[in-house]
Amino acid sequence: MKKQIMSRLNKLGLYSLLLGVALSCNNENYSDDFNKDQYAIYSANYKSLLAGAIMNFGQNGGDGSNAYQMMPILFSQYQSQVVYTTEQTYGDTPGAWARYYVNQINNLNEIISGYSNNPSPEILLQGSAENMIGVSKIFRAIIMKRLTDTYGDAPFSEAAKATSDIFLPKYDSQKAVYEAIIADLKSGRDLLNTSSTSPAGDILFYGNLNKWKKLANSVLLQATLQLSKKYPAATGYAATEFKDALSNSAGVIETVADEAWFTIAPGNSYPNPFSDFRSADYRISRELVESMKGSGNTFNRTSNHTPDTRLTLYANTGKMSAVGLPYGYNSNDLAAAGYSTSGVTTISVKFRSSSSAISLMTAGYTYLNRAEAAAKGWTGEAVSDMLTNGIVLNYNTLDDHYVLNTNAYNPSTNPFGGTKITPGAAAYAGARVADIALFGAERVIGEEKWIALFLNGFDAWAEFRRTGFPALLPAPSAVNGGVIPRRLRYPVEEANFNNANYLKGVQGLLPAEDKNTSKVWWDQ
């Protein structure tokens, strides 16, 4: 097995074509010490594979580059760029998916394969087969959702075959990928057995399988809603799968205690990735600030007219008086429009220190998804109750993770201090419920998702593309014809080395061009 694992890792390295050439281990025995890579994996340490996949996804997702991580956050207009404005003006640069496949999906495929083939007693000490496979399937589905939402059609069925020798995998249609995501979430959830050995390497829930089941069901709610443009009917595929997950006996995430948060630990080489960004290059956007203030000016992109005290946590001033930078200008156009970077603030250190927490799935977001489904007529739940719970629980979890003491907030000396915002949550939620009568439930819910998903760029961007809320405007200095990007371009290595499959993937877009203005299947 020792050589097979390294060979498989190299194979998926070819999938992403990190090097453009095959780096493989052969089966000839030149002794264990001959030309041995001290950093390679030579034994099946499945707990490390699981922990590595979770950590890598939580830390940076794709290829780890600053531009790639920040693009969805900028497209969602949470931040504005100050000097280097390529991303916020929609420069059509290729994306990167190497780490999704090599460091994450491949790890999980190895676990699924290893535990599906008569695992030894030693391997079973790291977790029972059903639990290691179940958790791996659930997390693989989460990764694939982000990947396909970002690009469109993508390798999955052939990329998921850990024992195959396919080096140039086909692109599965996004429809097929989503069907596989939903199947993995259900299969993984139903495999989990609380009576058998918990999975070692679980650095998300630390062996709490009931929370994994709730996570799977909550992601099912999110994933099926993402298909609502394709399957809008209350009796259609998406609604049926949504209701099935909501009624599953394992439940969904309904409390802060059950939420999925990555265990950020800078002392263990696991820092918050936003700490790598130079704060001087970014400011909190005026669109976000004015929307949260409930302002009556043109920068408010929502229907909200009630002060939202979550702004005191999001802005580095710690106050409602924060000033944001208008989004989407290059430096020359910003000055010509009469705006300045003077006096504007950054996002709070609460969210960008090396030890800042990062959420994966929260109770508030799950309730907001339930609110939207109810508004669509998919369920009989009360929209007002679901929206209220979604907002209040978002306030609750922000307090729990970012207001860790009651001493005065200071971005330099006490970034996790300040005043709890939960006391004002019910009043704000009540005002937003009242807004439904004037502006419609789906608009209000979509806007509240935008606020609740602050800095969860990939999820927020996917929601905006699907719902059109909030009513974001394209960057004034846009270089792509003035369209908020609908996707990222495929990695350049795919066009160069996996061209035949790449070209088939492009055909799934509308228009069939590898541009950031083309729409993926669920967006068409």
Side-chain angles (χ1 to χ4, degrees):
M1 174 175 278
K2 63 182 181 179
K3 296 296 184 182
Q4 290 176 351
I5 291 177
M6 191 59 192
S7 178
R8 293 170 192 166
L9 288 171
N10 285 331
K11 179 192 66 183
L12 274 178
L14 279 171
Y15 287 168
S16 3
L17 295 163
L18 284 170
L19 303 178
V21 294
L23 300 176
S24 62
C25 295
N26 59 44
N27 293 320
E28 298 173 73
N29 184 9
Y30 291 111
S31 85
D32 289 340
D33 296 324
F34 180 80
N35 199 29
K36 190 172 184 178
D37 182 352
Q38 62 178 317
Y39 300 109
I41 299 173
Y42 288 91
S43 60
N45 191 334
Y46 291 106
K47 64 180 180 182
S48 296
L49 293 175
L50 179 59
I54 295 171
M55 182 178 73
N56 194 277
F57 184 76
Q59 194 170 32
N60 47 47
D63 73 339
S65 71
N66 282 358
Y68 179 79
Q69 292 179 56
M70 188 56 70
M71 278 190 279
I73 290 171
L74 291 167
F75 299 160
S76 302
Q77 299 186 16
Y78 290 131
Q79 294 201 92
S80 298
Q81 289 179 303
V82 179
V83 178
Y84 308 104
T85 60
T86 300
E87 289 75 38
Q88 76 167 2
T89 57
Y90 314 145
D92 196 8
T93 54
W97 62 27
R99 289 196 180 187
Y100 286 131
Y101 285 110
V102 177
N103 301 98
Q104 300 165 39
I105 292 173
N106 186 53
N107 283 19
L108 302 173
N109 290 343
E110 287 290 343
I111 295 170
I112 293 168
S113 176
Y115 276 87
S116 297
N117 295 303
N118 298 316
S120 68
E122 291 77 16
I123 289 175
L124 290 172
L125 291 175
Q126 299 178 53
S128 67
E130 63 264 42
N131 289 336
M132 290 293 280
I133 294 172
V135 165
S136 296
K137 283 189 171 186
I138 292 168
F139 207 75
R140 183 174 69 179
I142 291 169
I143 297 165
M144 278 305 304
K145 181 182 182 302
R146 177 182 291 184
L147 196 153
T148 191
D149 287 348
T150 302
Y151 295 98
D153 295 1
F156 182 64
S157 60
E158 292 186 348
K161 296 178 180 178
T163 58
S164 72
D165 291 319
I166 300 171
F167 298 106
L168 300 175
K170 71 176 183 179
Y171 283 46
D172 296 286
S173 70
Q174 187 172 69
K175 178 178 182 291
V177 172
Y178 254 88
E179 289 169 351
I181 288 169
I182 291 169
D184 263 358
L185 289 167
K186 294 166 66 176
S187 171
R189 175 200 66 199
D190 294 342
L191 278 169
L192 298 181
N193 184 352
T194 57
S195 298
S196 58
T197 308
S198 296
D202 172 13
I203 60 171
L204 191 65
F205 290 128
Y206 296 90
N208 190 321
L209 298 175
N210 289 322
K211 289 186 177 182
W212 273 103
K213 293 178 182 181
K214 291 179 180 180
L215 173 63
N217 283 327
S218 297
V219 177
L220 279 164
L221 303 189
Q222 177 194 32
T224 51
L225 271 175
Q226 199 65 45
L227 301 181
S228 61
K229 287 176 72 170
K230 288 296 185 184
Y231 305 102
T235 57
Y237 170 67
T240 299
E241 293 291 351
F242 184 100
K243 288 180 282 191
D244 181 67
L246 185 60
S247 63
N248 184 266
S249 61
V252 297
I253 296 173
E254 293 184 315
T255 66
V256 172
D258 284 336
E259 293 178 346
W261 287 75
F262 294 105
T263 305
I264 299 300
N268 292 324
S269 300
Y270 191 7
N272 179 308
F274 298 124
S275 64
D276 288 338
F277 291 91
R278 221 170 64 99
S279 60
D281 292 341
Y282 303 92
R283 300 290 187 275
I284 194 169
S285 79
R286 185 166 294 184
E287 287 75 7
L288 177 65
V289 168
E290 298 303 320
S291 296
M292 297 186 74
K293 287 181 178 181
S295 303
N297 60 46
T298 58
F299 285 102
N300 184 347
R301 299 293 185 237
T302 72
S303 60
N304 174 48
H305 296 286
T306 304
D308 183 350
T309 53
R310 285 175 287 189
L311 180 59
T312 64
L313 303 188
Y314 292 0
N316 207 38
T317 59
K319 301 176 181 178
M320 292 297 293
S321 58
V323 177
L325 180 67
Y327 174 84
Y329 290 91
N330 61 42
S331 56
N332 291 333
D333 290 347
L334 184 71
Y339 301 119
S340 169
T341 59
S342 177
V344 298
T345 188
T346 61
I347 65 167
S348 177
V349 179
K350 291 178 183 293
F351 292 86
R352 56 182 172 84
S353 79
S354 62
S355 58
S356 297
I358 296 180
S359 65
L360 174 61
M361 182 61 65
T362 64
Y365 181 45
T366 300
Y367 268 109
L368 291 175
N369 283 328
R370 292 167 68 173
E372 185 183 350
K376 290 182 180 300
W378 286 11
T379 71
E381 294 188 308
V383 174
S384 59
D385 291 346
M386 298 299 104
L387 177 59
T388 298
N389 288 341
I391 293 171
V392 171
L393 280 162
N394 184 247
Y395 272 68
N396 294 163
T397 199
L398 289 170
D399 273 348
D400 277 11
H401 290 91
Y402 300 111
V403 187
L404 306 184
N405 65 77
T406 56
N407 297 326
Y409 167 76
N410 185 295
S412 300
T413 61
N414 188 32
F416 295 106
T419 303
K420 299 278 187 180
I421 61 172
T422 291
Y428 176 79
R432 294 302 276 150
V433 168
D435 285 338
I436 290 176
L438 293 174
F439 303 105
E442 293 200 38
R443 177 178 177 182
V444 173
I445 294 163
E447 293 165 351
E448 286 306 311
K449 284 186 176 184
W450 181 52
I451 301 300
L453 288 169
F454 178 63
L455 292 191
N456 288 58
F458 286 98
D459 287 341
W461 181 39
E463 290 281 2
F464 164 74
R465 287 178 285 156
R466 177 178 65 86
T467 67
F469 301 122
L472 303 177
L473 299 178
S477 300
V479 297
N480 71 342
V483 178
I484 297 174
R486 312 304 290 187
R487 61 182 292 274
L488 294 186
R489 283 175 54 195
Y490 286 118
V492 66
E493 294 88 355
E494 289 294 298
N496 289 340
F497 299 105
N498 193 16
N499 188 258
N501 290 312
Y502 156 81
L503 291 174
K504 290 180 181 178
V506 171
Q507 292 304 305
L509 303 171
L510 184 68
E513 301 173 315
D514 188 11
K515 295 182 178 180
N516 66 11
T517 54
S518 295
K519 293 184 176 183
V520 302
W521 169 75
W522 55 247
D523 193 24
Q524 297 171 11

